[in-house]
Amino acid sequence: MMSRPLPRRLLLALVGTLALAGTAAHAAEPLRVATDATFPPMEYIENGKRTGFDTEMVEAIGKQLGRPVEWIDIDFKGLIPALVSRRADMAVSAIYITDERRKVVDFTVPYYAGGLVVMTKADNTTVKSPADLAGRKVSVQVGTKSVSFLKEKYPQAQLLEVEKNQEMFNLVEVGRSDAAVTGKPAAYQYVRTRPGLKVLPEQLTTEEYGMAIRKDTPELTKAVNDALARMKADGTYAAIVQKWFPASK
């Protein structure tokens, strides 16, 4: 006995249901985000909990996309390689948008403005401006814009390259480094919590932070950009900025 074909209306309804199920299943896939959580106030661990400006931004984006965030902790220098190797979908860790990085990854629209600054001891009288970095010991984090910038603009500076943000600041505090060059938000956050340190008023650069995404997933880049636009429209973005940078300098 031959089976009768399904009525057209029922068939269309079934196809629609399957399509929705497929979409929901995809939306529920974790968003794998690589980060180096050692850079307060952008991303760091406090009392065993992940927190920071970037952290809250990404979690809010995950909600917008309907996808749980799966964090992957990697040293900063390994963030871009993690995307290239497809270990992660996105990397967010106070990453400056640069032409060099654009060669291997895509970036979202800029989501916050920063720049490189110089941090020294408050009583330091030898490093009064960026020009004084020449011939001085300057601590920097491996793989960051600080390294390439100083090598190009201040080749006479003696770079002390370290793996972690904390090590970079510690070298200044113990006197093994005359200054540290790092991102503006992290530098101001650190001097607020450590007496005896200061940030020079003259910035080295003005940069923009972007969220790095694999080149083979342009649909994700668009989705994150759309999520950021919605967050700016509904006030979510402003609330996160105000929480972490209530008196941005």
Side-chain angles (χ1 to χ4, degrees):
M1 181 177 179
M2 296 180 61
S3 59
R4 297 176 60 186
L6 290 172
R8 178 177 176 79
R9 183 178 299 176
L10 181 58
L11 181 60
L12 290 175
L14 180 59
V15 170
T17 299
L18 291 174
L20 287 173
T23 301
H26 176 75
E29 291 178 5
L31 182 64
R32 299 173 303 162
V33 182
T35 192
D36 181 2
T38 62
F39 201 62
M42 304 303 277
E43 49 272 313
Y44 61 106
I45 305 297
E46 185 175 63
N47 298 323
K49 182 180 179 182
R50 190 183 303 276
T51 188
F53 175 69
D54 282 346
T55 304
E56 290 200 16
M57 287 290 293
V58 171
E59 292 289 353
I61 287 170
K63 290 181 180 179
Q64 286 278 342
L65 301 181
R67 298 176 64 176
V69 176
E70 179 183 309
W71 292 100
I72 303 172
D73 291 298
I74 301 176
D75 285 346
F76 191 89
K77 65 182 179 182
L79 295 176
I80 300 300
L83 293 177
V84 175
S85 66
R86 299 187 179 184
R87 181 181 173 188
D89 304 310
M90 184 163 72
V92 183
S93 197
I95 303 173
Y96 288 137
I97 300 172
T98 67
D99 291 338
E100 189 66 23
R101 288 170 177 158
R102 281 188 185 277
K103 294 177 182 178
V104 290
V105 298
D106 286 336
F107 278 99
T108 61
V109 295
Y111 68 95
Y112 196 72
L116 298 179
V117 295
V118 180
M119 189 197 82
T120 68
K121 282 189 174 181
D123 59 359
N124 187 315
T125 58
T126 59
V127 181
K128 300 178 181 179
S129 74
D132 296 326
L133 294 176
R136 302 295 175 184
K137 293 180 180 179
V138 183
S139 52
V140 290
Q141 187 180 16
V142 173
T144 63
K145 176 69 178 289
S146 301
V147 179
S148 58
F149 177 83
L150 288 171
K151 285 182 177 179
E152 178 185 352
K153 301 295 185 181
Y154 298 89
Q156 293 181 325
Q158 302 174 38
L159 301 190
L160 303 178
E161 299 186 39
V162 297
E163 291 288 339
K164 295 295 183 182
N165 186 58
Q166 185 63 50
E167 297 175 71
M168 174 178 59
F169 291 147
N170 286 347
L171 289 177
V172 177
E173 290 188 282
V174 300
R176 288 182 55 196
S177 175
D178 298 300
V181 171
T182 188
K184 178 180 176 180
Y188 276 112
Q189 171 70 14
Y190 199 81
V191 300
R192 277 197 292 265
T193 60
R194 296 291 197 284
L197 297 170
K198 66 180 179 182
V199 175
L200 300 187
E202 183 182 346
Q203 285 191 207
L204 291 168
T205 66
T206 298
E207 312 272 356
E208 292 184 309
Y209 294 117
M211 300 180 179
I213 299 177
R214 298 200 322 254
K215 280 188 172 293
D216 64 344
T217 57
E219 70 283 354
L220 179 58
T221 303
K222 182 181 184 305
V224 174
N225 281 337
D226 290 345
L228 284 168
R230 291 192 296 270
M231 289 164 57
K232 289 180 178 180
D234 67 16
T236 301
Y237 174 85
I240 297 175
V241 170
Q242 179 62 24
K243 174 181 177 179
W244 289 100
F245 306 110
S248 294
K249 299 183 181 183

